[in-house]
Amino acid sequence: MRRGLIAEGAATLRMKQDMQNDTRNMYDLIAYRVKFTPHPHAGDKWCIYPSYDYAHCMVDSFENITHSLCTLEFDVRRPSYYWVLVALGLYQPYVWEYSRLNISHNIMSKRKLNRLVTEKWVDGWDDPRLLTLAGLRRRGVSAATINSFIRGMGITRSDNSLIPFERLEYHIREELNKTASRAMVVLHPLKVVITNLEDGKVIDLDGKKWPDAPADEASSYYKVPFSRTVYIEKTDFRLEDPKDYYGLAPGKSALLRYAFPIKCTEVIHGDNPDDIGEIRAEYDPSKTSKPKGVLHWVAEPAPGVEPLKVEIRLFEKLFLSEDKEPEGTAWLRDLNPHSKEVVKGAYAVPSLAAAVVGNKFQFERLGYFAVDTDSTPEKLVFNRTVTLRDSYGKAGGPR
């Protein structure tokens, strides 16, 4: 077998255990089998591979593992685990089996994850939609958040538990709400021209990085330029103004966050009546009007200068259904076709130009975002880590 003289599947080396044992996992389990597959480290040097039952217990012992933690399906393998160690006179770690972690709308099986990656259903092991450590890190989830999630969940031997994905999102929000600084980004810009602001004038305003930041410290703020050309979200404007809508509409006012109230005075249509190309508005420099709606926005930093353009990647749940246990290819058919959306033409406030990989932000009214590894000095890319609790935009605009 070692010299490669036996074909795959033609022979195996088995352990001489106890064929009369009440536990089938003591029936002379396989120790080595032939596999003509290059090893990631040894290359083609070896063509025999040890089985899990033969190698796992010895590796635990050699590495002085105190507690070998396994999932419940390995409970029946405990007799074989200790049989090998006793037969070889090796140190015996303590074995503890508990239920595997199952999170809704995701898979945790390495075999299924490998298939998603190798068949290119996702963009690699660090795809932010996967619950791998690399994927979570790229999405903007910290180690502290993962530890908080695990501690809050506890340990069980119930084999039918399914943890809602929303529970992980809760812990992510709790952490980022305290650590992520605020900024403003407009995903789908709609141009607004402030007609009563003189050409060339730019007013530098202060935006708060954290809601409870000390008001007397300069580090608590970032600069937000307000100029004649402002961009708001397309969903924050409607031609009709229903009673429960607080966004901008013809003849209606809304407050620009950290800035001034503006009132829509004119709508410039495109080729058809439903195509809105531009809005004309007037701002209230005295702030005497008190509109209920508050909008996030981005303005030209200087006359005729386009705002900072960034790429935004919006992630949703990877699977449409909660549980992904079916075998074969049934689970692949349940992949969410809208689990990733790329927005290439978003506008951001100038302060975000200094962001680097790993920085995390709350984009006001949009969610929490992290700088992606695909970012370059010429183009920043942000991954949405999680949405906000608020239901902004459920009806197409702010509430």
Side-chain angles (χ1 to χ4, degrees):
M1 289 171 64
R2 166 70 183 83
R3 299 204 309 268
L5 303 179
I6 298 177
E8 285 190 25
T12 59
L13 180 66
R14 305 176 74 96
M15 295 181 278
K16 192 172 183 180
Q17 295 177 290
D18 182 7
M19 295 294 290
Q20 306 304 315
N21 197 290
D22 292 338
T23 303
R24 291 187 177 183
N25 281 285
M26 288 292 291
Y27 289 4
D28 294 1
L29 300 180
I30 293 173
Y32 277 96
R33 74 277 198 203
V34 178
K35 289 287 289 184
F36 293 105
T37 302
H39 189 274
H41 301 296
D44 295 326
K45 183 179 179 180
W46 296 92
C47 60
I48 54 173
Y49 284 79
S51 68
Y52 176 90
D53 295 283
Y54 180 68
H56 177 217
C57 52
M58 284 192 283
V59 171
D60 283 351
S61 183
F62 295 154
E63 295 183 352
N64 292 314
I65 299 298
T66 58
H67 292 71
S68 182
L69 307 180
C70 306
T71 44
L72 287 177
E73 62 264 32
F74 295 100
D75 183 66
V76 294
R77 286 178 143 81
R78 189 186 292 193
S80 174
Y81 181 99
Y82 284 119
W83 181 91
V84 174
L85 296 179
V86 170
L88 297 175
L90 297 176
Y91 154 71
Q92 301 172 35
Y94 181 79
V95 178
W96 184 16
E97 298 88 4
Y98 56 95
S99 64
R100 58 178 283 182
L101 174 60
N102 296 305
I103 300 179
S104 69
H105 302 92
N106 286 275
I107 55 170
M108 306 296 283
S109 161
K110 292 188 291 292
R111 176 173 52 85
K112 291 181 178 179
L113 286 169
N114 185 59
R115 186 167 180 184
L116 289 179
V117 173
T118 55
E119 295 182 10
K120 301 189 183 305
W121 294 98
V122 293
D123 302 324
W125 287 99
D126 64 347
D127 189 303
R129 290 168 290 181
L130 298 181
L131 295 185
T132 59
L133 289 179
L136 288 168
R137 184 184 301 114
R138 188 174 180 184
R139 186 160 177 157
V141 180
S142 68
T145 294
I146 297 173
N147 288 333
S148 174
F149 168 64
I150 297 299
R151 281 195 300 268
M153 185 171 48
I155 294 174
T156 178
R157 284 181 60 88
S158 171
D159 201 23
N160 298 312
S161 58
L162 183 66
I163 305 301
F165 184 67
E166 291 77 12
R167 186 166 182 171
L168 173 59
E169 290 183 320
Y170 165 80
H171 288 275
I172 295 172
R173 291 189 187 99
E174 286 293 295
E175 173 74 15
L176 291 178
N177 184 50
K178 296 179 290 185
T179 60
S181 62
R182 274 54 171 173
M184 289 194 292
V185 170
V186 174
L187 297 183
H188 304 287
L190 175 61
K191 185 177 180 180
V192 180
V193 176
I194 310 299
T195 56
N196 62 332
L197 183 65
E198 60 189 78
D199 285 326
K201 185 173 182 178
V202 178
I203 304 173
D204 281 329
L205 304 170
D206 289 326
K208 260 199 168 185
K209 291 183 179 179
W210 290 277
D212 55 352
D216 56 348
E217 293 184 12
S219 61
S220 301
Y221 300 92
Y222 66 94
K223 291 299 180 182
V224 184
F226 177 75
S227 62
R228 186 177 171 86
T229 301
V230 171
Y231 294 90
I232 64 172
E233 292 285 357
K234 288 183 177 179
T235 53
D236 282 340
F237 179 81
R238 294 183 185 178
L239 291 173
E240 297 181 0
D241 182 19
K243 184 179 180 180
D244 59 348
Y245 171 68
Y246 300 123
L248 204 59
K252 186 178 181 179
S253 296
L255 176 65
L256 298 182
R257 181 78 161 147
Y258 306 120
F260 308 95
I262 62 171
K263 181 177 182 180
C264 176
T265 57
E266 185 181 359
V267 179
I268 309 300
H269 293 274
D271 296 332
N272 60 74
D274 295 327
D275 182 16
I276 301 171
E278 182 179 307
I279 295 172
R280 304 285 171 84
E282 294 180 353
Y283 87 111
D284 177 9
S286 63
K287 301 184 181 181
T288 53
S289 59
K290 304 294 181 183
K292 291 183 179 180
V294 180
L295 313 181
H296 62 284
W297 55 280
V298 173
E300 289 184 351
V305 177
E306 185 181 31
L308 175 66
K309 185 176 284 189
V310 297
E311 180 178 309
I312 305 293
R313 296 174 183 175
L314 306 174
F315 298 106
E316 298 290 347
K317 292 170 181 173
L318 185 58
F319 289 93
L320 297 172
S321 303
E322 285 191 348
D323 198 0
K324 293 276 71 55
E325 286 304 320
E327 293 299 323
T329 59
W331 60 280
L332 287 172
R333 293 196 293 270
D334 195 54
L335 281 165
N336 181 4
H338 306 296
S339 62
K340 178 181 178 181
E341 178 188 354
V342 179
V343 181
K344 293 184 177 293
Y347 284 155
V349 290
S351 61
L352 285 177
V356 296
V357 174
N359 286 171
K360 300 166 187 177
F361 302 90
Q362 184 198 104
F363 293 164
E364 300 207 36
R365 299 180 61 237
L366 297 178
Y368 295 98
F369 293 77
V371 182
D372 187 68
T373 52
D374 286 342
S375 295
T376 65
E378 294 76 30
K379 184 188 74 171
L380 281 170
V381 179
F382 293 89
N383 294 326
R384 184 170 68 187
T385 309
V386 67
T387 58
L388 298 174
R389 291 187 185 88
D390 307 74
S391 58
Y392 286 118
K394 272 193 173 180
R399 299 293 302 273

